[in-house]
Amino acid sequence: MPLRNAAEDVGRVIREGLLHPVFQPILDFRAQAYLGFEALIRGPASSPLHRPDQLFAAARSAGLASALEHACREASLRAFARLGLPGRLFLNVTPGCLLDERLMNGETCRLLNDLGIAANRVVIELTENQQITDLPGIHEGLLHFRGRGFQIAIDDLGEGFANLRMWSEVRPEFVKIDKHFIHGIADDRMKYHFVRAMQDLAEICHASIVAEGIERCEDFAFVRDLGIACAQGYFVARPASSPDRQLLPTVVQALAQKQLALSPAGARMATAINLLRPVPPAPFDASNESVMARFEADPELDVLPVVRGDLPVGLINRHILFERFARPFQRELFGRASCTQFMDQAPLVVDQQATAQELAIMLALAPKHHLFDGFIITGGGKYLGVGSSHDLMAMITEMQISAARYANPLTQLPGNVPINEHIDRMLAAGKSFVVAYLDVDNFKPYNDTYGYRRGDDVIQLLGRLICQSVNQGIDFVGHIGGDDFFVVFQSADWEARCWEIVDRFGEAMQPMVGASGHGGGGYMAENRKGELVFQALPTLSVGAVRVHPGDCDSHREVAAAVSVAKKEAKKGDKNLPGRPPGGCVFVERRRSGQVDDSRLAGSVLKPCLESAAGQPKEACRRPASTSRKVSAEE
């Protein structure tokens, strides 16, 4: 298409319908399926106006930006309907065009009705390329569209107008993080902290985060493990005029390569599959009359899913359909029409592996009617059955009661039962992991001298230090009882984390003896004979065992092996005569299935490098390999 002048060229593109929408999928991590598609526009092929940046620049210079944007919306909506794409449609709208008369006067709603697209499937995505000057007007426009069922998204957080103030005032349902903060996040600690802060704000504001610009598998996995709701980028899928509705094999593989997640408070992990009710679905070409017959034949059937092949496309609510057909002549007029006419075209769809916690968050963020309708459960994107909010709440309540029953009352950390259950889960999953048994040395003299309240303070302090030093997303922390703690590590740098706990505990104990403290790393107190003697400060001994698939058959074998390692750790101070005792980490290097109660050959004993007084030990200095950088999980 040869160029003449901006006004003529852009005008011709609009008049002759030379706009070509493409759609880029947005992945919902929790459902492991596409949440929807963002509509992107392309101009005429083999033309300088093919690229959207050049197309819109020409339109702005010709004073046709609003007309072009309106044409883009209409072309995108028509293409979305023609392709029959599932889920939501994200439509880009500049703030200046939000109050366009063609948007506000009902023209867009009439087009949606003609195309059969429900307003609650459309997300108005406020783009960043224009400064907002009329904030009250924007609020008025947003109120107008929300009242008609539309949802709102802010694009490119961190760029342009989409700042924290805008987020707090617009209160969008979706917030898209600019790709600058996502690309390379797996290797950039600063980007991690930025995105983590945005995620925390999103939870407070009840918004879902969409991470844009994901191009690497490493960044994809990192964003997923951060708890981000959605992902978009070339790694997920590239924009296409007719996008595939199934996840790419590389994405499916990346989703499957996930370390075993921890359940809240260590309780048994419950997922959507535990809530599954295998309701036979209705095909998308079924009539309303046949759906009514299903409901009338089964009084317990509250919702009926609708599928196209084996892919879910909607959900029909019993009461809504009965209410429609109760009106005069409705059954006669619409009985033979397709059941898609009265179905919810944007149902809540979740993957069978979604946890109870993830399901609760999704329901809290979803429109209220999903609380009554429930959700569709899929496996690999294919329909399996339905689940109800009532059953989910009952399951969560049961989990909370179970967690409270087995939690340690002092630290509220999981006790022996959930510890054993978690180890058995790890063994059943065939995962490699490390178990660590942490025990406080010299605790009884301290407890006797300062009282049980101060002793409880030490135990609670240690519990906090352990939780702060592990990766709480993948490392399990339990409290066996008294001054004994247990950690199941999946972190690759577990050994350095153990040393960090030892070091931080030693430092924290210094001020806990008050004025009676002694410069040699202890305090003066009476022994059982009433004699005033020097008592060493409490320190920490850690016994650790690597567990590989096939090493152990049950948690009992794991517990026996790590108990032996803990005993060896507590012997460490005896190797350092004349020095104040320090903490140590004992690592059993052999297969844990070979461990017995004898002294372990091939093990490594590494006393703490620094004594309580800050002086280096004389023997067995800590290897440099145990030092670690602060990881992104912190």
PDB file of all heavy atoms in Angstrom, residues 362 403 503 577:
ATOM      1  N   MET A 362      -9.057 -17.549  43.993  1.00  0.00           N
ATOM      2  CA  MET A 362      -9.730 -17.322  42.717  1.00  0.00           C
ATOM      3  C   MET A 362     -11.198 -16.948  42.922  1.00  0.00           C
ATOM      4  O   MET A 362     -11.726 -16.047  42.259  1.00  0.00           O
ATOM      5  CB  MET A 362      -9.615 -18.584  41.855  1.00  0.00           C
ATOM      6  CG  MET A 362      -8.193 -18.908  41.421  1.00  0.00           C
ATOM      7  SD  MET A 362      -8.046 -20.517  40.620  1.00  0.00           S
ATOM      8  CE  MET A 362      -8.781 -20.161  39.027  1.00  0.00           C
ATOM      9  N   ALA A 403      -5.183 -28.714  61.048  1.00  0.00           N
ATOM     10  CA  ALA A 403      -3.917 -28.017  61.278  1.00  0.00           C
ATOM     11  C   ALA A 403      -3.815 -27.531  62.720  1.00  0.00           C
ATOM     12  O   ALA A 403      -2.761 -27.623  63.356  1.00  0.00           O
ATOM     13  CB  ALA A 403      -3.791 -26.846  60.315  1.00  0.00           C
ATOM     14  N   ASP A 503      24.266 -19.451  62.858  1.00  0.00           N
ATOM     15  CA  ASP A 503      24.923 -18.169  63.110  1.00  0.00           C
ATOM     16  C   ASP A 503      23.957 -17.154  63.724  1.00  0.00           C
ATOM     17  O   ASP A 503      24.283 -16.467  64.698  1.00  0.00           O
ATOM     18  CB  ASP A 503      25.496 -17.607  61.806  1.00  0.00           C
ATOM     19  CG  ASP A 503      26.665 -18.432  61.282  1.00  0.00           C
ATOM     20  OD1 ASP A 503      27.226 -19.200  62.072  1.00  0.00           O
ATOM     21  OD2 ASP A 503      26.991 -18.286  60.091  1.00  0.00           O
ATOM     22  N   PRO A 577      38.344 -28.796  72.869  1.00  0.00           N
ATOM     23  CA  PRO A 577      38.590 -28.537  74.290  1.00  0.00           C
ATOM     24  C   PRO A 577      39.147 -27.141  74.509  1.00  0.00           C
ATOM     25  O   PRO A 577      39.916 -26.632  73.723  1.00  0.00           O
ATOM     26  CB  PRO A 577      39.628 -29.606  74.658  1.00  0.00           C
ATOM     27  CG  PRO A 577      40.284 -29.966  73.368  1.00  0.00           C
ATOM     28  CD  PRO A 577      39.231 -29.833  72.319  1.00  0.00           C
TER      29      PRO A 577
END
